[in-house]
Amino acid sequence: MSYEDGPSMFQDQLAEKVRPFIDLIDDMRSIGIDKELPLPTIAVVGDQSSGKSSVLETLSGVALPRGTGIVTRCPLLLKLCNDRSVRWKAVISYGGKFSSDFDEPSEVVRHVEQAQNTLAGKGVGICEDLITLQITSSTVCDLSLIDLPGITRVAVKGQPDDIGAQINNLITKYIKNKRTIILVVVPCNVDIATTEALKMAQEVDPEGTRTLAILTKPDLIDPGAEKNVLEIVHNRVIVLNMGYVIVKCRGQKQIDENMSIARAIEDELEFFQNHEHFRSLLRQEKATTKCLATKLSNALVKQIKKYLPQMSEKIKEQLADVKIALSKIECGPPLEPAEKRKYLIQVITEFNEQITQLSTGDIIVEENLFELMRKAFIDWMECLKYAKSNYNDEVQQVVNEYDKEHRGSELPGFSNYRAFQHVVQKLVAKLKDPAMATLEKIREMVQKQFDQLSRESFKNYPYLQKFSTMNIERIQEDQSKIVKERIKEQFEMEMQVYTQDEIFNKYNLEEGETTDNSEHDTRSKYPGLLKSYYEIVVQRLADQVPMLIRYFILKQSAKIVCSEMLDLLHRDNTDDILQEDLEIGHYRAKLQAQADRLLLANDKVSSL
């Protein structure tokens, strides 16, 4: 179709009043802001063979794909831009990547079909991905609308059995948005109440506040049915607040005869001017495609103005939320090798500082580690006290057994020192297992908090997290073996039954006992002597076991972990060490893209 064939009837549109608002929504959709919030738009809905394509052709001034069955297989955003300085040009884009511009109207069909085949595959399948066709010309109106697949009820050869449900779901996705103007295309020669398109519109817009109906094919109605059509157009049958417009576009016969769209527009005007029943609709601005274009442009701009304040507020709210989400995610490693190495040093240094602070009680991870350890050591002390409280029975039993087994001809009161030593050794030996249990309890606490710190510090870096947790486990195991040996040594030393005389006498005096055998039966002094010595043992073990555990399991472990982490800095595989978790990277990229969209949208709304 040549430039001169374009619909010159649209040249009088007041683009300067309409275009900025329509451009705003088109620009916001082009940057993907419709992913964040619903945008005002016009969605074209119609049953198959309702004349939907003919209406869009007349509005755009170009031929669109035609045929039987499903012709529109993807949503098509038709952006019409009036520009008196441009002869004719078009840009088609889809898939988020592909974009192509051309300057011949006859190429539209080929480009649209190619886009549909790319997105929906060759055949009769559909796809929800949007195709954008922008047409700039001096002969089009300023308008943007989305053409949706025609409603079908029965699948034909090559179509999935649920094709009808797929199309209905796609249409519903668009028209359920309360900011969408629903443009329903209905032929005049069918019962309007039975059309599927109007039924779908009524389901999401029961009061008809945002539905506009186009009546097509007025030349095909039966004689005598004109009054019924007029009743519909005058909003007396099914009430729609936005009303009705009746149009006459090219039929198949005119298309076969190569009637141009420009000639079809002239033919449409002549039809209504000369029609006995419909000519009055011209004066009422309820007939012709020109009237429809003006009505749609004004309705869309009105809808945009209505929701613009809400959209602006929503964009600001979402932008603030996204910024908060981004602030909680690390920015990730830099790309430059030198900077990446500095970043690795920083990450490891911060982790080491936290491990050190954790070992000194300067930071808390989930729970206070020192408080947990103190409770475990209190339990150890209670175990010692419990053992001490039962010492009388133990002492008497051991003394009796010793006298029975080892007393010879000596008189009472001359018992052997071995009896005293044997009692002490038996009592102390029972404390070894509780000491080991305390060690395991503390090790579990420390390793759990070290691991938690590793997960938090290296949550974005799987290699660092795996390396650190494996080292923590190995170091804890090694240190635990050292502590076990030290505790065993401690108990072996306790088997020697030793303390300074001065210390022992001090405890005896506190218990009211004396080591002078001449005044009392030594055997009668056993309980007091044992109690005195056991107090010394308890005091040694009460402190020594926790000190060993704290030193090796916490302090030394932290020191070794830090050293092992620093060894990573001597390796050359910095890229592998700082390989970021894919999910984190994708999530950050998603948030950043969302933030960019919202920032751009906010600027666009603010500049209007």
Side-chain angles (χ1 to χ4, degrees), residues 29 55 115 126 204 219 228 230 242 280 359 363-364 376 383 425 461 481 507 538 556 568:
R29 186 179 288 109
V55 173
I126 67 167
V204 296
D219 53 323
N228 294 334
L230 285 173
M242 298 186 72
S280 61
S359 69
I363 63 170
I364 296 175
C383 178
Q425 290 172 341
Y461 306 104
K481 289 178 181 178
Y507 274 88
V538 165
Q556 283 297 99
L568 283 175

Side-chain angles (χ1 to χ4, degrees), residues 365-383:
V365 178
E366 287 189 344
E367 297 180 86
N368 189 317
L369 179 58
F370 279 76
E371 182 178 341
L372 295 174
M373 288 194 301
R374 186 171 67 253
K375 290 178 180 178
F377 293 145
I378 288 174
D379 291 342
W380 163 241
M381 188 65 195
E382 290 300 317
C383 178

Side-chain angles (χ1 to χ4, degrees), residues 420 424 428 493-494 496-499 504 507-508 528-538 540:
F420 176 81
V424 171
V428 171
M493 287 188 289
E494 292 297 345
Q496 297 181 62
V497 189
Y498 174 80
T499 186
F504 187 58
Y507 274 88
N508 283 336
L529 295 174
L530 282 170
K531 183 176 181 181
S532 298
Y533 184 75
Y534 194 75
E535 287 287 352
I536 297 170
V537 172
V538 165
R540 283 200 296 248

Side-chain angles (χ1 to χ4, degrees), residues 589-602:
K590 179 182 177 181
L591 284 178
Q592 189 58 59
Q594 186 180 9
D596 293 342
R597 287 195 300 269
L598 290 166
L599 276 169
L600 190 54
N602 187 57

Side-chain angles (χ1 to χ4, degrees), residues 7-13 58-59 82 139-141 289-290 293:
S8 59
M9 54 172 279
F10 297 136
Q11 292 179 359
D12 294 334
Q13 292 292 321
T58 307
L59 289 171
N82 182 274
T139 60
V140 296
C141 61
T289 312
K290 177 181 179 179

Side-chain angles (χ1 to χ4, degrees), residues 2-53:
S2 68
Y3 166 68
E4 287 76 19
D5 288 334
S8 59
M9 54 172 279
F10 297 136
Q11 292 179 359
D12 294 334
Q13 292 292 321
L14 300 177
E16 64 277 6
K17 294 183 178 180
V18 173
R19 192 74 251 166
F21 292 97
I22 297 177
D23 280 345
L24 171 66
I25 299 303
D26 288 344
D27 289 346
M28 291 175 71
R29 186 179 288 109
S30 68
I31 63 177
I33 205 67
D34 52 330
K35 298 175 183 177
E36 321 301 334
L37 73 163
L39 300 175
T41 190
I42 298 174
V44 187
V45 184
D47 294 15
Q48 286 186 19
S49 303
S50 62
K52 183 162 61 74
S53 295

Side-chain angles (χ1 to χ4, degrees), residues 352-411:
N352 284 356
E353 288 176 354
Q354 288 186 304
I355 282 287
T356 302
Q357 289 175 344
L358 178 61
S359 69
T360 57
D362 292 332
I363 63 170
I364 296 175
V365 178
E366 287 189 344
E367 297 180 86
N368 189 317
L369 179 58
F370 279 76
E371 182 178 341
L372 295 174
M373 288 194 301
R374 186 171 67 253
K375 290 178 180 178
F377 293 145
I378 288 174
D379 291 342
W380 163 241
M381 188 65 195
E382 290 300 317
C383 178
L384 295 173
K385 290 180 179 179
Y386 178 78
K388 186 173 63 175
S389 66
N390 294 326
Y391 88 99
N392 282 326
D393 294 338
E394 292 278 353
V395 169
Q396 194 61 53
Q397 180 182 351
V398 172
V399 170
N400 290 339
E401 289 177 357
Y402 186 86
D403 281 351
K404 182 179 180 181
E405 295 177 12
H406 301 286
R407 181 179 174 189
S409 60
E410 67 271 17
L411 296 173

